[in-house]
């Protein structure tokens, strides 16, 4: 006979992760899923390509890659162009990726400031954040000029050769900067790329002092960029805004005035997300 007056057992709360979620061993990796994501990532990096090109890029048998592509195609994650016989990222991948932008009001709040920045400077305006030691571009408003910079949303770029990257690095503690450099290195892209840690540290100190960063043809020869950090409510740099364009339209003498427009946009976005100016990494 049961006691009807006994208290009901406490309701279990649903967990987002199992008890052993800290276990990062190989046994928790679903290899087929991992392979599918690798295919999707590489296809996104190199754009439309044939099956054989993608298989070669991943060093995998074409038959295995085809099965992955076929599975992704059923979900709309990739698409096959019968005319060119190439595979491309599909609308399904875009829909999932776009949900990242909706997770935060940052991209939405930044859009008006980006458009105003583009109109004020005549150059392409960009918004980016740091993700795992790289710059992830979230949004862009392109200039109407024929020659322009192009960083579509989702593009990843090394931090040490990016205006936004250096604007964010300048706000980080030295230990975090060292960690990123150790993980990703300081690859050379042009004659002006900062590949010496001491040269990068000096550049970051100058960036922090003046409030903006300059990519002086450090990633792409003939292209310059000016960037400033965006801060959250805790005064921490969470994103960066920049303008980029051909060096002939962005001469050295014009950079300080251009930087004023960029910093104005950064302040506007900071205010829009309820942030406050940071105090620097020290």
């Amino acid at each position: 006979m049961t006691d009807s007056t006994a208290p009901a057992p406490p309701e279990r709360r649903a967990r987002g992760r199992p008890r052993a979620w800290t276990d990062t061993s190989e046994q928790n990796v679903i290899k087929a899923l991992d392979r599918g994501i690798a295919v999707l990532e590489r296809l996104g990096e190199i754009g439309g390509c044939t099956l054989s090109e993608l298989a070669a890029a991943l060093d995998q048998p074409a038959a295995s890659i085809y099965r992955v592509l076929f599975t992704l195609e059923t979900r709309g994650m990739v698409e096959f162009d019968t005319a060119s016989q190439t595979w491309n990222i599909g609308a399904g991948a875009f829909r999932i990726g776009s949900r990242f932008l909706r997770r935060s009001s940052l991209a939405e709040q930044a859009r008006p400031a980006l458009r105003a920045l583009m109109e004020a400077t005549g150059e392409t305006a960009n918004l980016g954040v740091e993700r795992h030691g790289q710059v992830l571009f979230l949004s862009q408003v392109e200039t109407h000029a024929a020659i322009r910079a192009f960083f579509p949303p989702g593009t990843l770029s090394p931090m040490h050769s990016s205006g936004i990257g250096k604007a964010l690095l300048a706000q980080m503690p030295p230990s975090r900067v060292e960690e990123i450099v150790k993980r990703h290195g300081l690859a050379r892209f042009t004659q002006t790329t900062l590949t010496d840690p001491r040269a990068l540290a000096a550049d970051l100190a100058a960036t922090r002092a003046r409030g903006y960063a300059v990519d002086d043809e450090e990633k792409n020869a003939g292209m310059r960029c000016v960037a400033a950090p965006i801060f959250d409510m805790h005064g921490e740099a969470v994103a960066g805004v920049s303008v980029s364009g051909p060096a002939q339209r962005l001469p050295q003498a014009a950079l300080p005035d251009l930087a004023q427009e960029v910093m104005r946009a950064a302040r506007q976005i900071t205010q829009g997300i309820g942030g406050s100016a940071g105090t620097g990494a020290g």
Side-chain angles (χ1 to χ4, degrees), residues 159-161 166 169 177 181 186 194-205 218:
M159 297 191 73
H160 73 288
S161 58
K166 292 198 294 181
L169 286 173
V177 176
V181 170
L186 297 174
L194 301 176
T195 58
D196 185 314
R198 291 170 297 182
L200 177 62
D203 187 274
L204 297 182
E218 294 161 38

Side-chain angles (χ1 to χ4, degrees), residues 48-54 66 69 79-88:
C49 62
T50 65
L51 173 60
S52 58
E53 290 171 340
L54 185 58
Y66 175 74
L69 290 170
E79 298 173 349
F80 182 64
D81 187 330
T82 55
S84 63
Q85 293 290 295
T86 58
W87 292 88
N88 298 272

Side-chain angles (χ1 to χ4, degrees), residues 42-49 87-88:
R42 183 55 63 90
L43 187 61
E45 291 172 359
I46 63 181
C49 62
W87 292 88
N88 298 272

Side-chain angles (χ1 to χ4, degrees), residues 56-72:
L58 291 166
D59 194 24
Q60 295 286 329
S64 299
I65 298 300
Y66 175 74
R67 288 195 294 271
V68 173
L69 290 170
F70 178 80
T71 303
L72 292 172

Side-chain angles (χ1 to χ4, degrees), residues 42-279:
R42 183 55 63 90
L43 187 61
E45 291 172 359
I46 63 181
C49 62
T50 65
L51 173 60
S52 58
E53 290 171 340
L54 185 58
L58 291 166
D59 194 24
Q60 295 286 329
S64 299
I65 298 300
Y66 175 74
R67 288 195 294 271
V68 173
L69 290 170
F70 178 80
T71 303
L72 292 172
E73 186 182 28
T74 64
R75 292 286 186 171
M77 305 295 285
V78 301
E79 298 173 349
F80 182 64
D81 187 330
T82 55
S84 63
Q85 293 290 295
T86 58
W87 292 88
N88 298 272
I89 293 295
F94 171 77
R95 285 194 297 271
I96 292 176
S98 65
R99 284 171 173 78
F100 173 80
L101 298 180
R102 293 202 294 270
R103 199 177 76 184
S104 163
S105 63
L106 175 61
E108 181 180 348
Q109 291 289 340
R111 197 68 185 174
L114 289 179
R115 183 162 297 282
L117 181 58
M118 185 278 290
E119 293 174 349
T121 63
E123 300 296 343
T124 297
N126 314 284
L127 176 72
V129 296
E130 181 264 328
R131 280 294 179 273
H132 307 300
Q134 294 181 289
V135 177
L136 172 65
F137 288 93
L138 297 182
S139 185
Q140 180 180 70
V141 176
E142 292 185 68
T143 177
H144 302 300
I147 302 176
R148 56 186 180 271
F150 185 54
F151 304 102
T155 298
L156 286 169
S157 181
M159 297 191 73
H160 73 288
S161 58
S162 159
I164 289 179
K166 292 198 294 181
L168 293 174
L169 286 173
Q171 298 298 321
M172 295 179 183
S175 59
R176 175 59 176 151
V177 176
E178 291 174 8
E179 177 186 334
I180 291 174
V181 170
K182 182 177 180 180
R183 178 176 181 181
H184 295 283
L186 297 174
R188 179 178 295 280
F189 299 100
T190 71
Q191 291 299 315
T192 57
T193 305
L194 301 176
T195 58
D196 185 314
R198 291 170 297 182
L200 177 62
D203 187 274
L204 297 182
T207 293
R208 195 159 47 246
R210 68 190 175 212
Y212 65 90
V214 175
D215 162 11
D216 189 11
E217 305 184 61
E218 294 161 38
K219 180 62 167 65
N220 298 289
M223 301 295 291
R224 286 200 177 102
C225 171
V226 178
I230 296 165
F231 300 94
D232 65 9
M233 63 184 294
H234 304 293
E236 298 177 351
V238 293
V241 60
S242 71
V243 290
S244 50
Q248 62 184 8
R249 292 206 306 260
L250 302 180
Q252 292 283 356
L255 297 187
D257 289 339
L258 189 65
Q260 294 302 314
E261 297 291 345
V262 175
M263 290 190 290
R264 184 178 295 111
R267 288 193 296 269
Q268 182 179 342
I269 299 171
T270 293
Q271 293 170 359
I273 63 173
S276 59
T279 57

